[in-house]
Amino acid sequence: VGLSDLNLRVLIPHLPMLGWGALNTIEISALAIALSFPLGLFGALMRIGDNRLLRALATGYVETIRNIPLLVVLYILFLVLPLYGIPISAFAAGVLGLAINSTAFTIEIFRGGFTGVPAAQYEAAQSLGLRPALVMGLVVVPQVFRIVLPSLGNQIVSVVLGSAQASIIGVAELTYRTQSIGSSTFRYFELFTIAALFYIACAQAISLVWRLLTGRAAHAPLGT
Amino acid sequence: MLSSGHLLNYLLLLLRGLTITLELSLGSLVLGSLGGVVLGAMRSSSWRVFKGIALAYIETVRSIPFVILLFFVFFAVPLAFDIDIPPYPAAIAALSVHCSAYMAEVVRSGIESIPKGQWEAAASLGLPYHRIMRHVVLPQALRVMIPPTIGVYVSTIKESSLASIIGFVELLGQGMAIREANSLRNTADVLVAVALGYFVICFSLSQLGRYLEHRTMPQSRQVRQRGGAFRSGSLRAAIAANFRSPASLLTASRRRVGLR
C-alpha cells in the first residue's frame, strides 16, 4: 500500500463507523466540559477564599493534576480503581479522567479571572453593604466571566484534543475507530488524514463559534 | 502488592525509565526549538507568504491531537512511503513536530516583546534583517523566552508518556511492563509510582519556571498577579493603607489652595 495508490473508495463502507466515532468524541468531550467548568469555578472560589484548608486543597489538586500526564490519570482510573472494588467502564473512566484533568486547568483560568477584576469593584460592592455572597454573585462573577471567556474556548478545544487519549483505554471514539478500521484495511494514511482533518475542523469551528458567541461580552469594557 | 525483594529492582527500572523520558523530551525540545525559531521568525516577519505558511503550520499542528500525530508517523508514513520507522525515531519526530509549533509561539511572543526602537536603531546602523535578528533582537528575546520554554518542556514531558503506546519504553512504558510481568499480583502501586515520578519532575520544573518568570517580570505586574484584593484581610489592609484622616485631608486641601 503506497502513496501511489491512495484509494478512498475502500473506506466508504467504513464511513458510518467513523461518523459514530466522531459523535462519541463529541459526547465524551461535552460531558467532560459540562463537569469541569462548574467544578472549575467552584475550585477557583476555594482557591481565593479565606478558608486555609479549602485553599490548600484546591491548590494541591491543581498542582498535582497539572503535573501528571492525562494518560497516567486515565490508566489509574481504568486499571487501579477496579482493583479496589470500584468497577468502572472505559467510557466512564474516559469522561472522568478528562474532567479531572480539565478541572485543574479551569480552576487556574477562573482564578486568573478573579485576579483580573479590579480591587475597586470588590470595595465598591462591599461599601454598598452587599453580603459577601452577593458581592461575588452580583458584581464579581459576571465580570470574571467576561475575562475568562476566551480562555474557556481554548480549554474546550484542548478537551476535544485530549479526548483522543481515551482511545487508549478503549473508549470507542474517533481515534479508536480509526485505528481499528486501519488494522483491518491497512489504509492508515487515508484514515489518519481523515481523522486529523476532523480534529482540525472541530478545533477551528469551536474557536470560531465561541468567538462569535462570546465576542461582544468578551470585548465589552470592564467597569473600573 | 510486590514483594520487597523485587521492589528495589523495579525502582531502578522506573528510574531508568524516568531518565529516558527526560532524554526523549529534551531531544525533542532541542529539535523543536530549532524549528520553532525559524517558524517564529517567519510568523513575526512582514512577508505575507512566510507569515501564512508559519501560521498554517502552527494552527494545523496545534489542532491535531498528539496521539494522531504519533500514529501518523508510526503507522501511516511507513506504509505509504514503504520505509521502516522504529518507535524511537517515530516518537522523537512526532514530539519535535508537536514541540516546534508551541515553541514558534514562544519565539514569536519573545520577538514581539522587543520594543520597536531596538529594530529601528539597529536598522539605522545599516544592519541587514538577519543580523538585526541575530545580534540585537534574539539575545534580548531569549531572556523573555526562558520561562515559557520551561512550560513547553513540562508539557512535552507529559505528552511523551504517549510514546509508550507505540512500544517506546520510557517511564510509563517501564511501569506498564512491570505491571504486565506481575499480572497475577495487585500492582496498583506501580502506576502510582509512575505518576509520582512525573509529578516530581514536572512540579520542580514548573516551580523553576515560575521563579524565573517572577525575576524577569516588571515589579508592577508582580503586584497585580499577587493581588489578593478579594481576600477580605488584604482588602481591609488596602483600605487602611489608603485611608486618610479628615485632619490630613484638610491640610492637603489647604496646601492645594496655597495656605500653609
Side-chain angles (χ1 to χ4, degrees):
Chain A
V1 192
L3 249 197
S4 47
D5 47 38
L6 276 184
N7 190 349
L8 288 172
R9 207 167 300 159
V10 191
L11 293 177
I12 288 175
H14 299 289
L15 282 182
M17 218 39 152
L18 282 180
W20 283 115
L23 275 181
N24 248 330
T25 289
I26 293 169
E27 191 185 350
I28 56 170
S29 313
L31 283 172
I33 288 162
L35 276 174
S36 69
F37 279 13
L39 284 174
L41 178 59
F42 191 68
L45 285 170
M46 279 167 66
R47 247 203 118 166
I48 62 164
D50 281 331
N51 190 319
R52 273 204 191 162
L53 180 69
L54 292 180
R55 214 189 308 159
L57 268 178
T59 310
Y61 176 83
V62 168
E63 291 298 344
T64 310
I65 298 300
R66 284 212 310 175
N67 289 310
I68 292 177
L70 172 59
L71 183 56
V72 175
V73 176
L74 288 172
Y75 274 152
I76 288 182
L77 285 177
F78 189 60
L79 302 172
V80 175
L81 283 192
L83 295 180
Y84 292 96
I86 307 166
I88 188 166
S89 69
F91 185 84
V95 169
L96 206 59
L98 278 170
I100 286 173
N101 188 267
S102 168
T103 300
F105 288 90
T106 316
I107 289 176
E108 280 305 274
I109 292 173
F110 275 115
R111 192 186 65 125
F114 281 109
T115 320
V117 173
Q121 292 287 321
Y122 293 88
E123 293 162 8
Q126 277 194 338
S127 65
L128 284 174
L130 292 180
R131 274 183 285 122
L134 291 181
V135 171
M136 279 293 169
L138 292 180
V139 180
V140 179
V141 172
Q143 298 188 61
V144 166
F145 266 99
R146 279 194 197 167
I147 299 175
V148 300
L149 278 176
S151 314
L152 288 184
N154 291 338
Q155 186 56 29
I156 296 177
V157 172
S158 81
V159 169
V160 173
L161 299 189
S163 75
Q165 296 188 28
S167 67
I168 299 161
I169 57 167
V171 180
E173 42 71 82
L174 182 62
T175 306
Y176 182 88
R177 293 288 184 211
T178 310
Q179 238 195 325
S180 68
I181 298 169
S183 62
S184 62
T185 59
F186 289 101
R187 294 280 161 190
Y188 281 115
F189 198 87
E190 295 92 326
L191 279 163
F192 281 122
T193 308
I194 293 174
L197 287 176
F198 171 80
Y199 283 110
I200 293 171
C202 242
Q204 298 299 327
I206 289 169
S207 45
L208 184 71
V209 170
W210 191 259
R211 235 176 303 154
L212 287 178
L213 281 179
T214 66
R216 220 150 43 118
H219 290 127
L222 281 179
T224 44
Chain B
M1 294 295 147
L2 297 171
S3 63
S4 54
H6 286 137
L7 216 58
L8 188 67
N9 269 336
Y10 288 142
L11 210 59
L12 287 176
L13 279 177
L14 286 180
L15 276 179
R16 224 176 78 194
L18 188 63
T19 43
I20 295 173
T21 287
L22 288 175
E23 276 170 22
L24 169 67
S25 320
L26 194 61
S28 312
L29 184 75
V30 170
L31 287 176
S33 298
L34 293 178
V37 168
V38 175
L39 284 162
M42 280 168 74
R43 178 88 168 75
S44 60
S45 82
S46 47
W47 288 357
R48 273 209 197 142
V49 186
F50 277 4
K51 223 174 175 166
I53 294 173
L55 189 65
Y57 176 89
I58 295 168
E59 278 295 308
T60 307
V61 173
R62 286 173 42 134
S63 314
I64 299 177
F66 180 65
V67 194
I68 296 280
L69 200 63
L70 190 64
F71 284 169
F72 198 82
V73 175
F74 190 63
F75 291 117
V77 173
L79 273 177
F81 296 98
D82 210 16
I83 44 172
D84 184 39
I85 305 183
Y88 207 101
I92 287 200
L95 266 178
S96 304
V97 168
H98 184 77
C99 212
S100 67
Y102 286 86
M103 280 309 292
E105 288 297 286
V106 172
V107 172
R108 182 185 65 103
S109 61
I111 290 174
E112 283 174 1
S113 75
I114 303 305
K116 231 181 161 188
Q118 297 285 324
W119 284 95
E120 289 164 1
S124 68
L125 288 173
L127 292 178
Y129 176 82
H130 67 273
R131 297 196 61 189
I132 298 179
M133 213 42 157
R134 217 188 106 199
H135 296 294
V136 180
V137 175
L138 279 183
Q140 297 184 70
L142 227 50
R143 259 182 62 123
V144 188
M145 279 157 44
I146 291 172
T149 303
I150 293 176
V152 174
Y153 187 41
V154 169
S155 73
T156 308
I157 290 174
K158 291 195 289 170
E159 296 288 346
S160 77
S161 65
L162 286 160
S164 64
I165 57 181
I166 59 166
F168 191 109
V169 188
E170 34 68 80
L171 179 54
L172 182 56
Q174 204 70 266
M176 292 307 270
I178 294 173
R179 224 184 140 266
E180 295 280 292
N182 296 281
S183 54
L184 293 179
R185 272 170 274 179
N186 177 352
T187 48
D189 36 6
V190 173
L191 278 175
V192 175
V194 167
L196 196 67
Y198 280 109
F199 174 76
V200 168
I201 293 297
C202 294
F203 181 70
S204 18
L205 278 170
S206 318
Q207 291 302 106
L208 176 69
R210 213 170 286 175
Y211 167 73
L212 290 173
E213 194 174 0
H214 269 261
R215 258 190 23 177
T216 52
M217 238 202 298
Q219 202 66 36
S220 59
R221 276 185 62 197
Q222 279 183 32
V223 173
R224 211 183 69 82
Q225 280 226 330
R226 228 181 283 134
F230 27 75
R231 290 199 197 131
S232 55
S234 46
L235 187 60
R236 270 195 295 278
I239 292 170
N242 285 315
F243 180 76
R244 281 193 269 166
S245 65
S248 71
L249 283 175
L250 191 64
T251 345
S253 59
R254 278 166 65 93
R255 202 168 291 146
R256 216 171 297 131
V257 291
L259 295 167
R260 290 196 49 88

